[in-house]
Structure formats: C-alpha cells, structure tokens
Amino acid sequence: MSERGRGQRGQRPWSVCTSEMLGLALAGNGLDPDEPVLEFSLACSDLITPSLDRKPNTFVAVSCNTSEPFWTKHAQTEIIEGTSNPIFLSSIAFFQDSHINQQTQVKLSVYDVKDRSQGTMYLLGSALFTVKELLQDKDHKLHLTLRSAENERVGTITLVAWQMEERRDQRTPVSRLPDTINGRTVLSVDESLTESLGVRAKYASLCKDTFLRSAFGGTMSRMYRFPTTDGNNLRILEQMAESVLSLNVPRQFVKLLLEEDTARVIELEELGELSPCWESLRRQIVTQYQTIILTYQDTLNNLHNYKGPSFKASSLKAERKLEFMPTNLHVQRMRVQDVSGFDHTYDLVTIGAPAAHCQGFKSSGLRKLIQKFEEAKKIIYEEECSALSSSQSIVYIPQDIVRAKEIIAHINTLKTQVSYYTERLSRAAKERSSNGLERTLAILADKTRQLVTVCDCKLLASAIQALNAARPEYIASKVSPSADAEQVVLRNDQDTLLAKWSGSNSRTSLHVDWHEEEWEKVWLNVDKSLECIIQRVDKLLQKERLHSDSSEDMAQNDQQGGSTPKKGNERTRAFWINPASAEDSSSSSSSSSSSSSSSSLPSSQHVQPSSSSSPPSPTPPSSSSLPVACHAGSNRNSANCEWSEALYPLLTTLTECVAMMSDKAKKSMVFLLMQDSAPTIALDLSLQYRRDVVFCQTLTALICGFILKLRNCLRDDGFLRQLYTIGLLAQFESLLSTYGEELAMLEDMSVGINDLRNVTFKVTQASSSSAPDMLPVITGNRDGFNVRIPLPGTLFDALPREIQNGMLLRVQPVLFNVGINEQQTLAEKFGDTSLQEIINLESLARLNSYYEQFKEVLPDDCLPRSRSQTCLPELLRFLGQNVHARKNKNVDILWQAAEICRRLNGVRFTSCKSAKDRTAMSVTLEQCLILQHEHGMAPQVFTQALDCMRSEGCRRENTVKNVGGRKYAFNSLQLKAFPRHYRPPEGTYGKIET
C-alpha cells in the first residue's frame, strides 16, 4: 500500500466552458496518466415497466460513435435489482485511448433484466447526448428523458461529470472554491505526478511509467464511485495488467538450468579415467543427464518460438511446450482517492496455482514425491551401511552430501574472489599504491584463508582417497598390518608413492594417513604462498618508509653541511618461491623470515612452500619469474617496476596453488556426489524437473510482485530500510481444495513457495532507459538464484546507499491455504485436510518469526499507517487462534493473513487452480474489505459494491481473456458450498470450459 498526502485545496466547477477548457478537458490530465479524459456517473428515476406488479432490474449500456452510423459499445453499469430509481456505483470512464472528442455522440440504453441466470432482458429505453453538451452545462449535469422503441417516455436518466483538476500553471487563482459540485465531491490530482518517472512519487502508472511499462502491459481499467459513511465518495480506479515476464523469466530460467546440468556433465567427464565399474556408473549418470538436457533444450526452443500473448491462458495450463510459464499471471491494482486528500495504491499478483500440470497428479505432488525419494535414499544408505563390514567402500551420510554441495559452492565463489583480488593486488603494485596494496592484501588474505579453511576437512581427505582408489591403475596389497609398519605400494596415474599402514589398531580398509598428509600439503602450499606475499609486501612497504625517512635525513644533513652514508643501500634482496621444494625447507625459511624481519634491510632469503604435489614453479630463466634484485639506490622511475616484479612470481605461485587445490577438492566432491546420486539418478532427475517447473512459475510471480512493490515504495524510507534489513515478506493465498488433483497441486505449490527462500534480489542501475535494459536478469543455480533489477538512473539515485551498494535482498515466503469449493466439503467430510493444516501452521510460525525480527531491529514507524483499531500483535494472535481452530472453510485465516501482510509492507499473491474464478471472488472481496475498513465505505453498499466489481470489473474481463466468455465457471449447486462472501451475482456465472 502506498499513501500520498496533499494539502487541502479547493476545486473549481466548470462555470464557464470555453473552447480552450473543452479541449483541455478531453486532452487527458497531463499530471496523472491514469486519469480518464472524461468520467461521469449515472442514475435513473421513475422507470416505468410494462408489468406494473414488478420493479425493474436495470443496468445501463453505454455506446458511442465518432463516425455515424456505427455505434460501439463502450461500457456498462452493474445491475441493480428491484427499484425504479437505481443509482449506479460503477462510473463510466473514457481514457486517452478512447479517442473521443466534443462531437462524439453517446447513447445510454437502459435494460430491464427479467432473469439474470438466463440472461433474459429487454430494452426499456434510451437517450442520446454529445460530449460537448455535457461539458457546456453549467453544473456538468444532464437530465435526459428515456424513450422506448415506440418513442414513449419510460423515465429519466441523470448523468454527472466528474471534474479533473487543471494544471496549476493553466488556471487562474480563485479564492474559496467549492469542495463539491451538486453534493458530490470533486477530487483533484496531485501535482507531484508531473514527472514522467515520478522519482519520489509513491504512485507509478502501469500504463505510462517507463520502468513499469517495460514489464507490464495490456492494462485494462475500470472506475467506481462508492459512498462513504460521512456522506462523501471514494473514487476507485481498478486495473489489471499482464506481464512480459511470464515469458521472459522462463526463458532465462530454463537457460540457467541447461547450463547447470551441462556443467555437471562436464564435471563428471573431467574426473578423468576411472576403473571399469566406476566408468559404467558414470556413463549411466551422464546418459540420464543428457536426456534431461535435451528436454530443457526443447523447452527453451519452444519458449523462444512462442509468439502468443504475454500470459498463458488457463486453457493452456497443461500445454507441455509452455509448462514453465505461469498460468494466467496478472497484476491487480486498486487505486483509491478519498476526500481526506490521500491517494492509496493496493497491488497484488494473481497466478494459477504453480504446479506441474503436464506431468499429472496421479502419483501425488512434490511434497509426497520428495518424501518418498528421501525414504528410498534412506533405505539405500542403510543397505550400504550393512554391507560396509565386508567392503572397503566409504559410505557418506546425508549430511555429507549437503556439506559436499556447500563445499563446491564455497570453492567456486572463493576461488573467483581470490583470483580477482590477486589481480587487484598486482594492479596496486604497478601503481605503487601503498594504501591500495595494504587494503587489497587484507581482503586477499581473508578470502584465501577462508578457502583454506573450507578445504581443510576430513570429508575432503576421504573423498580424495576414494577418487584415487577409483583409478584404473590403483593397486593396494591388502595384508594384515604388522607391528613393523609394513609398506604398501600405491600406483596412480601420476607417479609411484609410498604409504604406511597405521599399525595393529588400524581399520580393515587402507588407512588414509598418506592421503590426508598429501592433501594437507596441498592446502598448506596455499597458506604458505600467502604468507610469502604478506612478508614480501611488508618488506616493500618497510623499504618505502625507510627510503622516505632517509630522504628527509639527507635533506636535513645537507642543510647542516654534512651527510651520513646510508647503511646497506647497495645491498640487494632476492625473494624466490619454489613450490617443488620439500616441506622442511619451508619451515626453515619461515624461521629465517621471522628472524630477518627485525632487520630493516635483510639479506636475501628463500621462502619455499612445500609439497611434491605442488604445481611447477615459474621457469627460473624467465625474466618475468626470476627474483628481482631491488637496489635501494634505484631511481624513482624504476620503483613501480620493482614492486610489480617483486610480487609477480609470488602471486603466480599463489594462483597456481589455489587452482590446484580447488581442482582437487572440487573433483573429489563431484565424485562423492556421483556415488551418492548413482542409485537413484533417474528418480532424482525426474523429481528435479518437476520441481524446476513449479519453481519457475512461482519465481515469475515473485519477481512481478517485487518490481511493483519497489517502484511504488521508492519514497517510503521505512519500507526500504525494512527491505535491506530483514527482507521482503511474500504472502501467498491459495484457495485450492485438499481433495483429488488439487491436493497434489497444493503439494507442488507449497514446495515451490518454500524454494523461494533461495532467491535474493539485487538492485542495479540500468544501462539505458530502453525496455530490454530494464528487464530483470537472473543468475545462479538451483542452490540459489539472484535476480538483478535494473532501475533507471533517476530512480536508482532515490535508493538508500545500502541497496545502491549491491546488498542482497532476501525473501521470506509464507503460504496460507483455505479450500472453499464443493471439493473441500468432500475433503472435510470424507477426506483429509492435514496438508492444509500443516502448511498454515508452518507459515504462521514463519510469519511470527518475521515480525519478531522486525521488532528486534526496526521501529514501528517503518510500517504503513492503518485505520484499524487492532494492532499487529493482536492480529497475529487472532490468526494463530484461527489456524489452530480447525474450523471448516475458515476464510478468516485468509482475511487476517492478507491484512497482516499489508500491515508488514509485504507483497500479496492470490491463487486458485487457474486464477480465474475463485481468485476473482477473493480479489474483489479483498478490495471491498479494504475500502470498508481503511477508507470508510458505507456498510450498506458493501454487497452492491462487491457485486459491481464482480460483474463489471477487471476480473470479469479476465474470464474473457482465458476462455472467451464473460462468465465465471461455477454452477448453482457448487456455489451453495461456497462461503457467502465468495458467491458471484446472478448472471455472471455458468457452465464454461476452463
């Protein structure tokens, strides 16, 4: 929700209608791109029907023409039943794309509906007027006589135009202008909307805002005027738009999956030569991956070849070519202007339940499938453990598998960072920047030590042993170890090495001392290489400081007429690192380094990290790798070269040692994961594919919601602080039943939403203001995805420094589900509702945790204001009571969760099977509840307003977009099972294919 305060300003009626003002009235409001060029409300009086024993059920159809004799239907009002004097809540709005002018004729046709369920109606009467007549009237109010087809008078229709405020620079000052026109409030438009991008404006147009327009399109709008308890009126703009992200996000996401699985195949191939049994296992796994890769390639081709609308209709939810696209994804907006002078915007995202429709639901959904998969893995693990006593195999526990994936991720990240800061250090040396050298070295040392810490673990040592044992040339003569430490020959692809049995207390398998020792030398090489660099940088900086001090001394001596020769200024220092040296020499060099560090100008030393398995050292004859003699008396022009050449061989060695350590560690972890996945690879990949499909649909909706929230809250410092401190709350509302296929859909959806916890956002500055450059960019893999949101420069500058500096923004997703249809009745009487209860309990715990985090670190003024007398802790307590109550179709859970989400600056999502029918009921109900609770809409018109939105609002048009008909897919029998507030008005539903 967003709010914008305005000073209380008077509004002026159009008392004099000049041609200039007429033109202005129809030019559209330049201050607000969503303002209609013309809006009027309708009311009828004294309607006469042929049957005097019944009062009419009427609505008004509005048609217009600019080129006679063709009439085009423009809009219609809701149906008001049983009165001869109806006052319609839906106003008639002409937006800029209507292309009306002063000469446009408008026809008002009043219909009497005899049977709403059958759609039986007849024309009661009609009236004509031109736009110019309405604008020229002193009060912009027309009373027109309704005449039947036989030209008989059948009543009166009254229309009142709503005034749009003129630009300040185009109006003349008028003192004490009236606030109303004929008893009806005239609402002005905030001048802060003069900027097309409205940098600090809370309201951004879906139609005109450059940033939002890059992601959303096909916007349709509806206008309403609802009375309030204090006798004023609310002006409501309802909008619905589709998003190009429905296609853009799946294309990016599938491409990332394709790259990830291709990389996995490459990793398996890079393991090198394996013994026949392991090679056969690798071939099986690679074959399975290649099959799934082909599937992703076909999907990506289908998505790129798709030329349809930028949303997937509900009738296509089982279309395999489009299975990664979310079903019927739209953004729904309600903008409210009230007499208090505030503008409020409420956004939510509607999406068909994220589920793998193409794969079906006979085998249940993701939740149960994952549970079955984990049980199968557990059985295999237990079988391997029981066979361990007769085998030398190494069995890894599930925690090892998780740890292995973490190690790979850490190695990939840290290796890249070490490489980056190594290059930065080299650049600082070339530039002879003492501060840069110190700062960069500190970061490089930290990242390198983190990498060494990751690699210094027993799991890696045992995995390296297992990989070595899987080589075809590996030979181990297994005999009973004696007390005399019998030697055993091990042969691998590289060379012949020696290892020792551990003695009488060893385990039956080959002891890993040799492998652990050799692996220790590998990561110790990295550690010692880093120490060499640190020591060398210290010496260079010491020398720099001494040179600076001696220059000052010499200057002073010159002034005193004498000079003191500088000791050792002709001595040279040579640092040489040889990765192929023995380990013991490194220890001696370390001691010599420490002893020489006390000397301001030490003699040359050799710092030598050990290990025979280290990478080859830089070739000594090469001029780039030879130790450089640095003379204190060298001139300043060669000083930069001195620093760079002194550090070059050390940095090269560190890079090579890090590369070798990372390579060994990563290969061993890949081999470990290969062993783990081999028995269940087919099931694993099938399950992963289903999870990918569901997650992609959910991710697309999340990105849409994030973009809307970020754009609308650019001036809300409290929200932005909350965003980078504890993350974004994403609350999903589901209306799925827990019976039949929808139960499996709910399982899919719950897993997809939980997986959103692995998503982070990062806001960047867009390279240009063109639409493609402002679309989100997704990076990462299944372990974690990052979504980069490019903002135009003017918007980016409005962000706090923390977000501008690239802070990753987290997401806390929650899901509340309450089934409301007839299938839920069956589930409650004969089935099982436990899944719904578990999901709601889990989400309640997360929601409470999120609020606790908020209270710990943020003040209450970060949250939006509310007219509600119920505080957030009380709301959470009520929600907890309802979640634990186990009451059938307890929709209070949905209402309270939605209010808590809005009060916590969250993003709202609403779903049912296709986001078309039950979702429409929920969205319109939520809008009316907001209007009543937050804006004082009169309670006596609540039901009428609800029916009005459902019959003439944007969600009715959503049914047309999906199935081609303006009816919700319900029948009378079904609706008897629905909670009362979720039933559409008569005549708006019927049998239709969904």
Side-chain angles (χ1 to χ4, degrees):
M1 183 186 77
S2 57
E3 301 175 1
R4 182 174 68 253
R6 269 199 309 266
Q8 294 297 320
R9 301 191 300 270
Q11 291 83 20
R12 58 180 296 187
W14 283 328
S15 55
V16 180
C17 194
T18 65
S19 58
E20 180 183 355
M21 294 175 66
L22 283 174
L24 176 65
L26 294 179
N29 192 329
L31 303 179
D32 190 339
D34 285 332
E35 285 287 357
V37 295
L38 176 65
E39 181 193 4
F40 57 84
S41 293
L42 296 167
C44 297
S45 57
D46 303 324
L47 295 178
I48 302 172
T49 61
S51 177
L52 299 178
D53 59 341
R54 61 175 288 274
K55 292 185 177 180
N57 306 323
T58 53
F59 73 91
V60 181
V62 180
S63 305
C64 59
N65 75 344
T66 52
S67 57
E68 295 186 37
F70 301 105
W71 290 93
T72 303
K73 183 177 178 180
H74 176 72
Q76 70 179 50
T77 66
E78 75 278 15
I79 299 173
I80 297 182
E81 297 182 331
T83 177
S84 297
N85 303 290
I87 300 175
F88 300 97
L89 297 182
S90 56
S91 60
I92 307 301
F94 292 86
F95 293 88
Q96 294 182 28
D97 58 1
S98 302
H99 304 299
I100 63 168
N101 55 47
Q102 296 177 38
Q103 283 69 44
T104 298
Q105 284 190 310
V106 181
K107 179 164 70 174
L108 307 175
S109 303
V110 181
Y111 288 86
D112 178 14
V113 182
K114 288 189 173 181
D115 187 339
R116 293 187 69 168
S117 61
Q118 299 296 322
T120 306
M121 66 185 77
Y122 70 96
L123 178 64
L124 195 62
S126 60
L128 294 174
F129 71 95
T130 63
V131 171
K132 186 174 183 178
E133 290 172 351
L134 178 60
L135 298 180
Q136 281 182 330
D137 184 83
K138 177 182 177 182
D139 298 321
H140 311 292
K141 182 176 182 179
L142 296 179
H143 299 276
L144 305 175
T145 300
L146 289 169
R147 296 196 174 275
S148 66
E150 292 78 23
N151 203 30
E152 295 179 358
R153 185 183 182 281
V154 292
T156 303
I157 187 167
T158 302
L159 56 152
V160 178
W162 295 94
Q163 175 191 353
M164 307 305 155
E165 184 179 347
E166 303 167 36
R167 290 181 183 269
R168 281 192 164 188
D169 57 1
Q170 292 177 330
R171 69 181 187 207
T172 55
V174 180
S175 60
R176 301 193 59 80
L177 297 175
D179 291 334
T180 60
I181 296 179
N182 299 314
R184 307 198 76 163
T185 306
V186 181
L187 297 179
S188 57
V189 178
D190 196 318
E191 69 278 359
S192 67
L193 292 168
T194 50
E195 300 177 60
S196 61
L197 283 174
V199 175
R200 298 296 288 175
K202 278 203 165 185
Y203 175 75
S205 168
L206 286 173
C207 302
K208 301 296 182 182
D209 183 82
T210 306
F211 176 58
L212 292 183
R213 200 170 53 191
S214 67
F216 305 107
T219 306
M220 57 179 59
S221 305
R222 294 290 182 270
M223 301 289 299
Y224 312 96
R225 299 276 177 165
F226 295 160
T228 60
T229 52
D230 57 6
N232 291 301
N233 283 275
L234 298 173
R235 178 178 183 271
I236 296 100
L237 170 67
E238 182 190 31
Q239 292 182 307
M240 182 181 71
E242 58 197 53
S243 175
V244 297
L245 301 182
S246 290
L247 192 58
N248 178 273
V249 170
R251 284 173 175 169
Q252 292 190 62
F253 182 74
V254 174
K255 186 172 182 287
L256 288 175
L257 300 180
L258 190 58
E259 292 171 353
E260 182 180 351
D261 287 348
T262 302
R264 194 151 297 163
V265 170
I266 293 172
E267 288 172 351
L268 288 168
E269 297 288 5
E270 288 179 345
L271 284 177
E273 193 176 358
L274 300 175
S275 60
C277 62
W278 288 113
E279 181 60 32
S280 174
L281 202 63
R282 174 165 62 177
R283 285 297 105 208
Q284 293 175 24
I285 296 174
V286 168
T287 300
Q288 293 288 340
Y289 269 111
Q290 287 172 339
T291 301
I292 207 75
I293 285 171
L294 289 174
T295 305
Y296 286 125
Q297 286 175 336
D298 289 342
T299 300
L300 190 59
N301 290 335
N302 291 330
L303 290 172
H304 280 292
N305 293 333
Y306 175 72
K307 304 299 180 185
S310 58
F311 82 104
K312 184 173 76 174
S314 63
S315 55
L316 298 175
K317 57 179 169 282
E319 177 64 46
R320 182 165 293 279
K321 293 181 178 180
L322 307 177
E323 63 180 332
F324 280 82
M325 287 180 66
T327 301
N328 192 20
L329 175 69
H330 284 80
V331 296
Q332 179 86 14
R333 166 170 287 184
M334 180 175 71
R335 181 185 177 190
V336 185
Q337 291 178 337
D338 55 32
V339 72
S340 66
F342 285 94
D343 189 338
H344 307 255
T345 302
Y346 302 87
D347 289 325
L348 62 83
V349 179
T350 60
I351 175 179
H357 292 275
C358 295
Q359 299 172 48
F361 305 100
K362 291 182 180 179
S363 302
S364 70
L366 271 174
R367 206 163 174 124
K368 281 186 180 177
L369 290 173
I370 291 172
Q371 183 180 351
K372 291 177 182 177
F373 176 75
E374 290 174 348
E375 289 172 354
K377 295 277 288 185
K378 185 178 180 182
I379 292 171
I380 292 170
Y381 170 69
E382 291 172 350
E383 291 174 350
E384 289 178 345
C385 286
S386 63
L388 181 61
S389 58
S390 60
S391 168
Q392 294 187 26
S393 301
I394 299 174
V395 178
Y396 299 102
I397 60 176
Q399 290 86 339
D400 289 340
I401 308 308
V402 175
R403 179 65 182 144
K405 292 179 180 178
E406 291 175 351
I407 287 173
I408 291 176
H410 288 322
I411 288 173
N412 288 337
T413 302
L414 290 170
K415 180 185 175 184
T416 303
Q417 291 175 340
V418 168
S419 176
Y420 171 74
Y421 287 109
T422 301
E423 176 60 31
R424 284 273 301 271
L425 192 68
S426 177
R427 195 179 311 134
K430 288 178 183 177
E431 296 169 356
R432 201 179 179 85
S433 168
S434 299
N435 290 335
L437 212 60
E438 287 182 304
R439 285 197 307 268
T440 307
L441 180 61
I443 301 173
L444 175 63
D446 178 57
K447 298 300 181 184
T448 306
R449 285 166 181 155
Q450 287 183 42
L451 182 58
V452 169
T453 302
V454 168
C455 292
D456 178 18
C457 68
K458 295 285 186 182
L459 180 62
L460 263 174
S462 64
I464 289 173
Q465 175 203 13
L467 179 56
N468 285 334
R471 300 301 183 192
E473 297 179 5
Y474 176 90
I475 299 173
S477 55
K478 180 182 176 185
V479 297
S480 297
S482 65
D484 295 328
E486 177 182 354
Q487 291 187 340
V488 180
V489 176
L490 302 175
R491 197 173 92 245
N492 60 17
D493 296 341
Q494 300 293 323
D495 33 26
T496 301
L497 303 170
L498 295 179
K500 296 181 179 180
W501 296 105
S502 62
S504 58
N505 294 325
S506 68
R507 53 194 174 200
T508 56
S509 60
L510 187 64
H511 196 268
V512 297
D513 276 356
W514 173 83
H515 299 284
E516 290 179 354
E517 288 174 4
E518 289 303 309
W519 175 239
E520 183 180 351
K521 291 178 182 179
V522 172
W523 59 257
L524 203 58
N525 264 349
V526 176
D527 205 27
K528 291 187 179 298
S529 299
L530 176 65
E531 289 305 316
C532 291
I533 294 172
I534 293 173
Q535 292 173 17
R536 189 67 172 112
V537 169
D538 284 344
K539 299 300 182 295
L540 289 173
L541 294 176
Q542 284 179 20
K543 181 180 177 182
E544 177 74 5
R545 285 190 286 269
L546 281 173
H547 180 76
S548 176
D549 293 342
S550 64
S551 298
E552 293 177 5
D553 292 342
M554 290 176 67
Q556 292 174 1
N557 290 335
D558 288 341
Q559 291 173 358
Q560 296 170 4
S563 63
T564 303
K566 183 179 175 184
K567 290 185 179 181
N569 62 346
E570 296 299 324
R571 298 175 65 182
T572 64
R573 293 180 298 159
F575 287 82
W576 175 248
I577 182 166
N578 182 4
S581 301
E583 182 177 0
D584 55 356
S585 63
S586 71
S587 59
S588 64
S589 68
S590 299
S591 61
S592 66
S593 300
S594 59
S595 63
S596 64
S597 61
S598 60
S599 171
S600 59
L601 288 171
S603 59
S604 61
Q605 61 177 345
H606 300 273
V607 185
Q608 299 167 330
S610 69
S611 177
S612 57
S613 60
S614 298
S617 62
T619 308
S622 169
S623 61
S624 63
S625 59
L626 276 172
V628 180
C630 302
H631 297 271
S634 59
N635 60 44
R636 195 71 180 177
N637 294 333
S638 63
N640 291 9
C641 179
E642 173 194 341
W643 281 25
S644 181
E645 292 185 353
L647 286 178
Y648 177 81
L650 306 181
L651 293 175
T652 301
T653 302
L654 176 66
T655 302
E656 291 173 350
C657 290
V658 164
M660 189 192 71
M661 179 182 73
S662 303
D663 183 61
K664 277 184 174 291
K666 188 173 177 181
K667 282 183 179 178
S668 66
M669 292 295 95
V670 169
F671 184 69
L672 185 154
L673 294 176
M674 186 186 89
Q675 295 174 71
D676 174 71
S677 64
T680 55
I681 185 63
L683 180 59
D684 189 5
L685 292 182
S686 173
L687 186 61
Q688 186 62 66
Y689 184 82
R690 185 184 190 104
R691 198 167 186 166
D692 290 340
V693 169
V694 175
F695 178 74
C696 183
Q697 298 173 20
T698 317
L699 176 64
T700 307
L702 176 68
I703 295 174
C704 287
F706 183 91
I707 288 173
L708 280 173
K709 188 69 178 178
L710 180 66
R711 178 61 187 92
N712 281 344
C713 293
L714 276 177
R715 70 173 291 186
D716 189 338
D717 296 329
F719 165 75
L720 294 173
R721 183 179 172 190
Q722 179 182 345
L723 179 62
Y724 69 73
T725 305
I726 62 173
L728 178 71
L729 176 65
Q731 190 252 321
F732 288 79
E733 171 185 311
S734 168
L735 300 159
L736 293 171
S737 68
T738 56
Y739 188 85
E741 287 191 348
E742 289 197 5
L743 176 61
M745 292 179 203
L746 182 57
E747 288 184 16
D748 278 1
M749 183 177 182
S750 66
V751 172
I753 290 171
N754 283 341
D755 286 345
L756 292 178
R757 288 180 290 179
N758 295 328
V759 176
T760 56
F761 287 87
K762 182 178 180 180
V763 184
T764 61
Q765 185 168 344
S767 58
S768 76
S769 58
S770 65
D773 289 333
M774 289 187 288
L775 289 175
V777 178
I778 308 170
T779 57
N781 53 43
R782 294 182 180 95
D783 294 324
F785 289 95
N786 177 257
V787 184
R788 192 169 74 245
I789 306 295
L791 278 182
T794 49
L795 300 185
F796 185 78
D797 291 341
L799 293 171
R801 189 64 57 193
E802 291 83 355
I803 297 178
Q804 287 187 5
N805 289 340
M807 180 176 283
L808 296 182
L809 311 173
R810 295 169 291 156
V811 177
Q812 178 59 275
V814 294
L815 166 65
F816 290 93
N817 183 86
V818 176
I820 62 172
N821 65 1
E822 76 287 355
Q823 287 187 317
Q824 187 62 24
T825 304
L826 294 175
E828 291 163 350
K829 290 186 177 180
F830 311 110
D832 181 13
T833 62
S834 60
L835 177 61
Q836 175 174 288
E837 293 162 8
I838 291 169
I839 288 172
N840 291 345
L841 284 169
E842 290 173 348
S843 292
L844 175 65
R846 285 196 203 129
L847 195 57
N848 278 315
S849 173
Y850 183 85
Y851 182 59
E852 289 301 318
Q853 290 179 57
F854 178 90
K855 288 194 300 182
E856 286 177 10
V857 295
L858 294 167
D860 286 342
D861 58 10
C862 284
L863 300 178
R865 293 187 295 274
S866 172
R867 289 180 53 171
S868 173
Q869 299 301 310
T870 309
C871 62
L872 264 172
E874 279 292 286
L875 268 177
L876 283 162
R877 186 173 66 83
F878 292 152
L879 177 62
Q881 291 173 351
N882 279 307
V883 167
H884 287 94
R886 296 194 175 188
K887 176 184 173 183
N888 291 345
K889 297 183 181 176
N890 189 0
V891 291
D892 284 347
I893 292 174
L894 302 181
W895 302 351
Q896 289 166 355
E899 183 176 355
I900 291 169
C901 174
R902 290 192 300 270
R903 298 270 292 273
L904 280 174
N905 273 323
V907 180
R908 289 267 299 113
F909 304 84
T910 299
S911 293
C912 63
K913 183 177 180 179
S914 61
K916 178 172 60 68
D917 306 307
R918 281 169 284 177
T919 295
M921 301 302 104
S922 176
V923 167
T924 50
L925 176 60
E926 181 175 349
Q927 290 178 167
C928 285
L929 287 172
I930 290 171
L931 291 173
Q932 182 169 305
H933 295 158
E934 296 291 343
H935 301 285
M937 184 178 73
Q940 61 268 26
V941 300
F942 181 88
T943 302
Q944 185 184 351
L946 189 57
D947 287 349
C948 177
M949 285 185 168
R950 287 172 176 173
S951 64
E952 305 308 324
C954 294
R955 300 313 299 188
R956 187 84 180 271
E957 298 307 315
N958 185 264
T959 65
V960 179
K961 292 180 70 172
N962 281 274
V963 294
R966 296 185 80 249
K967 285 189 180 294
Y968 302 113
F970 304 131
N971 59 52
S972 300
L973 188 61
Q974 277 180 304
L975 291 176
K976 289 179 180 178
F978 277 46
R980 180 170 59 89
H981 289 302
Y982 289 83
R983 299 172 187 171
E986 284 283 343
T988 62
Y989 58 87
K991 183 175 176 58
I992 197 163
E993 286 296 325
T994 62

